[in-house]
Amino acid sequence: MSWAADRELGSAAMLRIMVWLVRRLGWHTGTALLYPITLYFYLASRPTRIASRDYLRRALGHRPHEGQVLRHIFTFACVILDRVFFLTGRTRGYQLDVSGLEALDAILDAGRGCVLLGSHMGSFDVLRAFGRGAPVKVRPVMFRRKQGPLTAMLERLDPEMAAGIIEIGRPGAMLDVHESLARGEMVGFLADRAPDGERTLPVAFLGDAARFAGGPLIIASVVQAPVMLFYGLRTGPRRYALRFEPFAERIVLRRDARNQDLRTWIERYAASLAERCRETPYNWFNFYPFWRG
């Protein structure tokens, strides 16, 4: 089963009620609600528990106990809660510690666009919140088909940001990417998942082979823009570490060694992601059989 086929737990009505309560009663109420919600997900979704155990065993280096699985799910729930506040612009009380901004500023100050390679590690929406005060836009490139009620509802919280998403597979998506970069904007990919049918390559990741998407790096090679890695790591209640790391001045895939070069770049990306997973193991959220072969 692919990640796109997994249904989001919880009804749209329940999610709407929770968001209504959180937006009116605040962050502390939302956090209190997360404890029963975490327990519900833990009890109701056996595949989630299995995927979490498999990943944590690799990231922690030992077999996790159930308290660590609960912590993993709870961290994911906290990030979802924070998305509500990021997407509605209610960031008072949040602390964002930013590192690596000098390298990004050098690219943007030169009027060049930039490709950001992110992942389902921590929060990508913290970048969009950070980008509200930035001199250039952040345009996420995302796979939106088969989205569940949670994703659809969160996008409705900020229609302007949702309208800025470049949808993978839509006619004209590549043109939008080119035009955004030409305007000196940032274009962001979550590069640790691939839509059904997209090309993937197996590379070493946390001790075993896992398949990573080739699409984001192929697109980066076509647009010839500088590439940075981005991580929005949750470090505590309402605290995030935003990390920008130089990855490539440009991605080159030689015509006579295209597959080899693509694999080398994916291996570099996977190695960086694995390092972050070991550093902050509860921040990575791919609750499906990632090492399914």
Side-chain angles (χ1 to χ4, degrees):
M1 179 180 291
S2 72
W3 67 267
D6 292 335
R7 295 185 59 186
E8 292 175 334
L9 291 175
S11 69
M14 181 188 73
L15 293 167
R16 282 196 297 269
I17 291 171
M18 178 183 171
V19 170
W20 186 89
L21 288 170
V22 167
R23 294 181 68 180
R24 283 154 183 81
L25 300 180
W27 180 86
H28 290 92
T29 297
T31 300
L33 288 172
L34 294 185
Y35 291 96
I37 289 173
T38 295
L39 184 59
Y40 165 74
F41 273 83
Y42 174 81
L43 296 173
S45 178
R46 183 171 179 268
T48 296
R49 296 195 303 271
I50 292 173
S52 177
R53 289 190 199 108
D54 183 33
Y55 158 68
L56 288 175
R57 175 178 59 81
R58 299 168 187 275
L60 296 172
H62 60 79
R63 183 176 180 177
H65 56 71
E66 293 311 298
Q68 290 171 316
V69 174
L70 280 164
R71 180 180 174 182
H72 189 200
I73 299 171
F74 179 75
T75 304
F76 175 61
C78 290
V79 168
I80 295 296
L81 172 67
D82 290 337
R83 287 180 71 184
V84 175
F85 290 88
F86 291 146
L87 293 174
T88 54
R90 298 170 62 185
T91 56
R92 183 178 178 181
Y94 281 86
Q95 180 177 337
L96 307 181
D97 301 313
V98 184
S99 62
L101 197 57
E102 298 81 4
L104 179 63
D105 283 343
I107 295 171
L108 300 179
D109 289 346
R112 306 168 68 192
C114 178
V115 172
L116 295 179
L117 292 184
S119 60
H120 292 81
M121 182 98 192
S123 174
F124 193 76
D125 287 295
V126 71
L127 173 63
R128 291 200 259 175
F130 170 74
R132 290 177 188 273
V136 300
K137 290 183 179 180
V138 181
R139 298 287 306 276
V141 183
M142 298 174 61
F143 178 74
R144 299 169 83 183
R145 285 174 292 174
K146 299 182 182 179
Q147 65 182 12
L150 174 60
T151 302
M153 180 199 62
L154 289 171
E155 285 192 5
R156 288 196 295 271
L157 293 177
D158 190 338
E160 182 179 348
M161 278 190 164
I165 293 172
I166 300 174
E167 184 176 352
I168 296 173
R170 180 184 58 80
M174 276 299 300
L175 179 60
D176 287 344
V177 171
H178 274 282
E179 291 179 345
S180 293
L181 293 171
R183 291 191 296 267
E185 297 173 352
M186 293 180 280
V187 176
F189 294 85
L190 299 181
D192 57 341
R193 289 184 189 170
D196 289 341
E198 183 178 318
R199 183 181 183 186
T200 61
L201 279 78
V203 299
F205 179 61
L206 292 176
D208 207 346
R211 304 195 72 90
F212 280 80
L217 289 164
I218 292 173
I219 292 174
S221 73
V222 171
V223 298
Q224 294 291 284
V227 181
M228 298 279 292
L229 299 182
F230 168 76
Y231 298 102
L233 306 171
R234 182 183 182 273
T235 57
R238 289 194 284 190
R239 293 192 61 176
Y240 284 82
L242 282 69
R243 296 187 180 179
F244 297 95
E245 300 177 5
F247 186 72
E249 177 62 24
R250 64 190 182 104
I251 300 292
V252 176
L253 302 179
R254 297 168 294 174
R255 182 174 299 179
D256 59 346
R258 185 177 177 84
N259 288 340
Q260 176 185 337
D261 290 346
L262 180 59
R263 182 181 297 277
T264 298
W265 287 113
I266 294 176
E267 287 173 343
R268 285 188 57 189
Y269 169 81
S272 174
L273 180 59
E275 186 177 348
R276 298 288 84 75
C277 287
R278 294 188 178 100
E279 176 187 351
T280 59
Y282 301 102
N283 264 277
W284 194 60
F285 311 126
N286 276 308
F287 295 102
Y288 69 97
F290 196 82
W291 289 266
R292 62 185 179 275

